[in-house]
Amino acid sequence: MTVQEINKAYNRIEGSLNSKELKNAFDFLQKLIYESKEYSLQDKLTELHDTYKYMLRYRVEGMRDPMQSKIYNDLMASTYELADDLKMRLLLRISSVIYFDRKRIAAYQPLQSYRVLHDELTTAVEVSDYKQVDGLQLNLFNQVWLSGRLTREELSDIRDIFADDTIPFSASCQIVSALLLGLQTCFDDEKVLLLCDAAMSGKDEVRARALIAILITLYLYHKRIGFYPAISNRLEALAERGGFVKELRTIILRFILSRETEKITQKIQNEIIPEMIKMSPKLNKKINMQDFSIDQLGDEMNPDWQNMIENSEFGNKMKEFSELQMEGADVMHSSFIHLKSFPFFSEMGNWFLPFNPHHSAFGSAFGKGSEFDNVLETMALSSFMCNSDKYSLYFSIMQLPEQHRKMMMAQFDSQAMEMIQDRKEEFMPEDKRFEYIVGQYVQDLYRFFKIHPRHLDFLDLFALKLDFHNLPQVKALLSDNESLTIIAEYYLRKGYIDDALVVYERLALSSPDNEELYQKIGYCKQMKEDVQGALEAYLHADLLNGDSKWVIRRIAGCYRALKQPEKALGYYQRYEALSPDNLSVTISIGHCHLELKNFSEALKCYFKVEYLDPESHKAWRPIAWCSFLTGKFEQARNYYGKIMGNAPSLQDMLNAGHTEWALQNVKGAINFYKMAVEADGGDFHKFMEQFTQDIPDLLSAGIEEQDIPLLLDELRYSMDGSL
């Protein structure tokens, strides 16, 4: 069988189990065992099949077994596991993805127990053998990542590593990352429970990674997690720990923010960098660097230069860039995309390693106590660079010529480092420590799943929605209004309207009297172009608070969009009563009257706007058209004359032609019609589409129907130049 055939067969089995079609799953499993000749699994399948048939027989005969629910859950879980086992065996034979490549190689290498690895790590730490520590941590990562189902002894040994405060926390971090990668390949409930143990850690770095790994695993296997009550119980136990909900919320917000990374990368490459390039010659011209002599130079910059930058498009983009960075967005991804080819990153575990200034990779070029230690210590404190990028930066610095490198070191003198140490808390404030750690790890994961040389061998987690708050197992843990409101607001602010709407509607179920929720539900639906749905939400909000001008105007706009001008008019008039000087609303009232063919009332509104705001010219077009419709052709001509001198549109030219025709100025009408055709690239067909729509208005203006084809032919001759 090919890899594609194996995966297709497995997906059929998994799909049947996800739909709780156990009989179909058994049939598909039987077929796959037969086709793959993995007969050693036949007894297990037969046992499961027989158990299910007995359970169904008892039920059909009306016998109620108090253990039926547990038996069914165990059956489902065991069938999932049998399918997993079969798939892993088959793929191990032929799959070329990195997991199976490494697993085949590992089968020929001696395997150390986790107890031995733990003991060796303890000894290496005691003698400060950093190279040995780093090597053992990589061994831990690889062994856990490639492991199958762990024995009770192995599980106990790994828990002992989690609990040991004498070894670096990075060892536990590596185990957690390895568990995450391994679980992506194959589900294992015991490994999920291990992550729950790590999530109880007192070390922020370990706990943050474990919670992220748990959420991702719950997302990937949400259909089957419910069959493992032990996992649900452990999640509930985790939720009892103080600060759990806030930590969960922090992780969810960070993953929402990670959706922006690709946009930010594109913005930097396509907008900010080109603006910098354009800015450079402008600045050089302003400063005129060639005219400077030594005695002309001073410390003070010309404020004009700063103003030129601040008021430019580049200045605006850099301000936006700075705000994104302050928010924790991944603004560095584009800078480090091409800096992951160093030998350090050939070890997969190093992509997830917390930054350590004492890593053995740093000891070859400089001895301990060198000026380069200052650089490493400063990098360790940085909160806006993820761990992976910090390692990349170090190796990039190492490639600089020695002279340039020493110049850089000179910037980190003892006085500067003293200041950095004094302000250490400002680099990563204690109250934001967990948030920064989460942000850095999410970015580490992003780099791995996007740019690791073998990233295509893994499911790209960041191509998934990752809406953790909607998972059945998380909903119960994150049901407080504060958390859901924060998540919804974040989605809304980032423009993820669909996601925001789901959360707002969930909040509305528990807070039916919250007018603001219905306002936002209406807004989200309006953004999705569900005008009727938006209207219903706005009307609900209006019932709760009839004084919101914003809601009243939205309701009016929805009714207009739904071609119900009479109802729209009523709400615009309500708004006008609350804000009589809002000329935009006055124009909208005029439009409603126009649509209702109350032309005289419409003109009153338009003239009011022109009188109160003569500079804006907003009312010219509606006055001109309304004048035409009411037979005030000279008045219409007057206003179209103004419009023609002020960037007329194609429709303006068409309407001006109608007006001239109504005034029996056929030559003038043809000239305007000709302008309209030419303004649309000479496309007479498009002109005719618009012209035809206006024929009823032309007839109402007194144009004889039989004259219409004649004038159009005159226009055609005119376009040919033969009239």
Side-chain angles (χ1 to χ4, degrees):
M1 297 181 74
T2 65
V3 170
Q4 291 77 12
E5 288 170 339
I6 294 167
N7 286 327
K8 186 176 179 181
Y10 175 81
N11 290 338
R12 278 199 301 266
I13 298 165
E14 186 181 44
S16 296
L17 290 170
N18 290 344
S19 302
K20 298 186 178 179
E21 298 169 353
L22 200 46
K23 165 65 165 64
N24 286 344
F26 289 147
D27 291 343
F28 289 136
L29 266 168
Q30 183 64 73
K31 182 179 179 184
L32 185 55
I33 288 173
Y34 177 78
E35 290 178 352
S36 62
K37 298 180 172 54
E38 281 287 345
Y39 301 120
S40 61
L41 298 177
Q42 182 63 56
D43 288 346
K44 180 63 176 175
L45 176 59
T46 302
E47 178 189 338
L48 292 172
H49 204 170
D50 289 346
T51 302
Y52 188 50
K53 285 191 289 186
Y54 285 132
M55 191 191 86
L56 292 178
R57 186 180 306 164
Y58 279 125
R59 184 172 181 83
V60 169
E61 292 174 357
M63 300 172 66
R64 291 291 175 181
D65 185 348
M67 297 295 291
Q68 181 178 300
S69 179
K70 182 182 184 308
I71 293 170
Y72 180 75
N73 285 347
D74 290 345
L75 268 171
M76 289 292 292
S78 296
T79 309
Y80 270 118
E81 290 166 14
L82 179 60
D84 291 340
D85 190 8
L86 180 54
K87 180 187 76 168
M88 296 296 283
R89 290 188 187 196
L90 299 179
L91 290 178
L92 185 58
R93 296 178 189 171
I94 59 172
S95 176
S96 61
V97 301
I98 190 170
Y99 176 88
F100 295 105
D101 275 349
R102 296 284 179 88
K103 200 168 176 69
R104 284 191 289 268
I105 294 170
Y108 296 99
Q109 297 174 341
L111 195 66
Q112 288 180 295
S113 72
Y114 294 108
R115 171 56 56 193
V116 170
L117 286 171
H118 185 183
D119 291 342
E120 290 184 356
L121 191 57
T122 303
T123 303
V125 170
E126 287 174 355
V127 299
S128 300
D129 188 343
Y130 295 130
K131 187 172 183 179
Q132 177 76 351
V133 169
D134 296 333
L136 288 167
Q137 289 187 137
L138 283 174
N139 288 347
L140 266 176
F141 176 90
N142 288 320
Q143 195 159 313
V144 173
W145 170 42
L146 299 174
S147 64
R149 293 190 72 83
L150 299 168
T151 65
R152 287 186 180 276
E153 183 181 355
E154 288 174 326
L155 292 166
S156 177
D157 290 344
I158 291 173
R159 289 188 174 99
D160 287 343
I161 296 174
F162 285 154
D164 190 346
D165 290 330
T166 66
I167 60 177
F169 68 83
S170 52
S172 295
C173 290
Q174 288 293 72
I175 291 172
V176 168
S177 295
L179 287 170
L180 170 59
L181 277 194
L183 281 164
Q184 191 190 42
T185 304
C186 185
F187 180 79
D188 183 340
D189 58 311
E190 290 292 352
K191 289 180 179 177
V192 179
L193 295 175
L194 268 182
L195 289 173
C196 291
D197 290 326
M200 295 295 289
S201 172
K203 304 178 186 77
D204 290 341
E205 292 86 350
V206 179
R207 190 171 67 257
R209 285 165 168 77
L211 287 173
I212 289 170
I214 289 169
L215 286 175
I216 290 172
T217 305
L218 291 178
Y219 185 90
L220 294 176
Y221 299 103
H222 63 278
K223 293 283 190 179
R224 70 160 80 176
I225 290 289
F227 300 116
Y228 296 90
I231 293 176
S232 300
N233 293 338
R234 290 298 302 277
L235 291 173
E236 289 173 9
L238 279 174
E240 292 175 4
R241 182 177 53 77
F244 175 78
V245 170
K246 185 178 179 181
E247 290 175 352
L248 214 57
R249 195 167 67 209
T250 296
I251 293 169
I252 289 169
L253 295 180
R254 282 292 170 169
F255 272 97
I256 296 172
L257 192 57
S258 73
R259 297 186 187 185
E260 301 288 293
T261 303
E262 224 36 65
K263 296 181 195 173
I264 293 168
T265 300
Q266 292 297 319
K267 183 179 285 288
I268 291 170
Q269 293 175 345
N270 300 334
E271 297 180 27
I272 292 179
I273 292 176
E275 284 295 331
M276 287 175 66
I277 294 169
K278 285 194 287 184
M279 198 72 196
S280 179
K282 289 181 184 176
L283 196 58
N284 189 47
K285 195 178 291 184
K286 279 276 186 184
I287 298 175
N288 198 4
M289 294 294 290
Q290 294 179 354
D291 291 345
F292 275 113
S293 61
I294 298 299
D295 59 350
Q296 289 176 315
L297 295 174
D299 292 335
E300 185 179 346
M301 289 183 67
N302 186 337
D304 288 344
W305 307 339
Q306 189 67 21
N307 291 338
M308 182 179 74
I309 294 174
E310 288 178 354
N311 297 329
S312 69
E313 184 67 21
F314 172 66
N316 294 333
K317 292 186 187 302
M318 286 307 296
K319 183 180 178 183
E320 180 185 356
F321 182 83
S322 177
E323 289 171 353
L324 286 166
Q325 185 171 340
M326 291 297 292
E327 187 181 15
D330 192 353
V331 298
M332 306 300 292
H333 179 61
S334 63
S335 303
F336 288 93
I337 287 175
H338 305 294
L339 296 177
K340 303 298 180 188
S341 57
F342 299 107
F344 177 82
F345 293 108
S346 63
E347 285 288 352
M348 188 175 294
N350 287 338
W351 286 74
F352 309 100
L353 187 66
F355 184 76
N356 174 17
H358 302 294
H359 195 280
S360 57
F362 302 154
S364 58
F366 296 94
K368 187 168 178 57
S370 73
E371 67 272 28
F372 203 71
D373 278 352
N374 295 339
V375 179
L376 297 176
E377 291 291 341
T378 305
M379 286 164 62
L381 293 171
S382 170
S383 60
F384 66 88
M385 268 198 302
C386 67
N387 301 285
S388 173
D389 289 352
K390 289 175 185 179
Y391 284 113
S392 292
L393 182 58
Y394 165 79
F395 293 116
S396 299
I397 292 171
M398 289 302 301
Q399 288 194 328
L400 290 173
E402 185 177 357
Q403 182 181 0
H404 293 165
R405 198 165 59 219
K406 285 185 176 179
M407 285 175 60
M408 195 184 80
M409 303 307 169
Q411 306 301 315
F412 292 88
D413 58 22
S414 58
Q415 188 175 1
M417 282 310 299
E418 185 179 341
M419 182 192 72
I420 288 170
Q421 290 298 328
D422 290 342
R423 299 177 59 191
K424 186 174 181 179
E425 288 302 316
E426 295 179 28
F427 282 80
M428 190 177 285
E430 194 58 37
D431 62 332
K432 288 192 174 288
R433 178 176 168 75
F434 186 84
E435 181 181 340
Y436 286 141
I437 290 169
V438 168
Q440 289 174 342
Y441 188 55
V442 170
Q443 290 175 16
D444 287 332
L445 291 173
Y446 192 92
R447 278 141 186 70
F448 175 78
F449 284 107
K450 293 293 184 181
I451 59 179
H452 185 275
R454 299 288 295 269
H455 69 276
L456 294 178
D457 287 353
F458 296 88
L459 171 67
D460 181 2
L461 297 177
F462 294 91
L464 307 175
K465 203 169 186 180
L466 299 180
D467 51 341
F468 301 123
H469 53 283
N470 289 326
L471 293 173
Q473 297 79 18
V474 179
K475 270 187 176 182
L477 307 178
L478 201 71
S479 57
D480 63 296
N481 282 359
E482 180 188 3
S483 295
L484 293 176
T485 300
I486 290 172
I487 291 168
E489 295 293 318
Y490 207 67
Y491 272 134
L492 186 63
R493 187 158 60 86
K494 292 298 177 184
Y496 300 111
I497 301 299
D498 289 337
D499 298 291
L501 178 58
V502 170
V503 185
Y504 282 131
E505 289 182 326
R506 181 177 164 190
L507 281 165
L509 292 175
S510 58
S511 303
D513 296 330
N514 188 325
E515 60 165 297
E516 189 174 311
L517 284 177
Y518 285 95
Q519 290 180 13
K520 289 173 179 174
I521 289 170
Y523 177 79
C524 289
K525 289 188 175 183
Q526 191 173 346
M527 293 300 99
K528 286 166 54 65
E529 299 183 0
D530 177 8
V531 181
Q532 184 61 47
L535 176 61
E536 290 168 6
Y538 289 142
L539 287 171
H540 193 120
D542 189 48
L543 282 174
L544 296 171
N545 175 17
D547 295 329
S548 171
K549 292 191 289 185
W550 186 87
V551 171
I552 292 169
R553 189 163 184 179
R554 292 280 171 169
I555 292 172
C558 286
Y559 274 128
R560 271 203 74 199
L562 292 169
K563 308 298 182 187
Q564 299 181 51
E566 189 171 0
K567 289 183 178 179
L569 179 59
Y571 280 93
Y572 279 128
Q573 288 172 335
R574 268 183 64 188
Y575 188 102
E576 188 179 43
L578 295 170
S579 184
D581 296 327
N582 190 310
L583 299 184
S584 177
V585 170
T586 304
I587 276 194
S588 295
I589 291 173
H591 292 340
C592 288
H593 281 301
L594 184 61
E595 289 163 14
L596 290 167
K597 302 191 184 303
N598 299 330
F599 302 129
S600 298
E601 293 299 319
L603 274 173
K604 288 178 187 177
C605 294
Y606 299 144
F607 278 126
K608 177 183 175 181
V609 172
E610 185 185 36
Y611 177 76
L612 294 175
D613 189 13
E615 298 299 321
S616 73
H617 310 156
K618 289 179 182 177
W620 283 1
R621 284 182 176 84
I623 288 174
W625 183 240
C626 209
S627 297
F628 174 81
L629 293 175
T630 54
K632 299 175 181 178
F633 302 128
E634 286 291 350
Q635 184 170 282
R637 171 187 274 175
N638 179 39
Y639 277 92
Y640 279 122
K642 295 178 181 181
I643 293 167
M644 285 304 118
N646 192 41
S649 68
L650 185 150
Q651 190 65 53
D652 294 328
M653 299 169 194
L654 189 67
N655 294 344
H658 296 339
T659 303
E660 292 303 317
W661 196 359
L663 287 166
Q664 299 182 355
N665 179 11
V666 176
K667 186 177 289 187
I670 290 174
N671 285 337
F672 279 122
Y673 291 153
K674 186 176 179 181
M675 286 171 59
V677 176
E678 291 170 348
D680 202 16
D683 191 332
F684 199 85
H685 179 71
K686 283 187 179 179
F687 167 82
M688 282 301 302
E689 287 180 351
Q690 292 180 287
F691 182 91
T692 302
Q693 293 175 9
D694 291 347
I695 287 176
D697 297 319
L698 289 172
L699 297 176
S700 297
I703 304 298
E704 296 291 337
E705 188 171 1
Q706 62 268 25
D707 288 344
I708 293 175
L710 300 178
L711 182 134
L712 289 173
D713 272 343
E714 290 182 58
L715 175 61
R716 291 185 180 96
Y717 278 118
S718 174
M719 296 296 297
D720 292 341
S722 56
L723 188 64

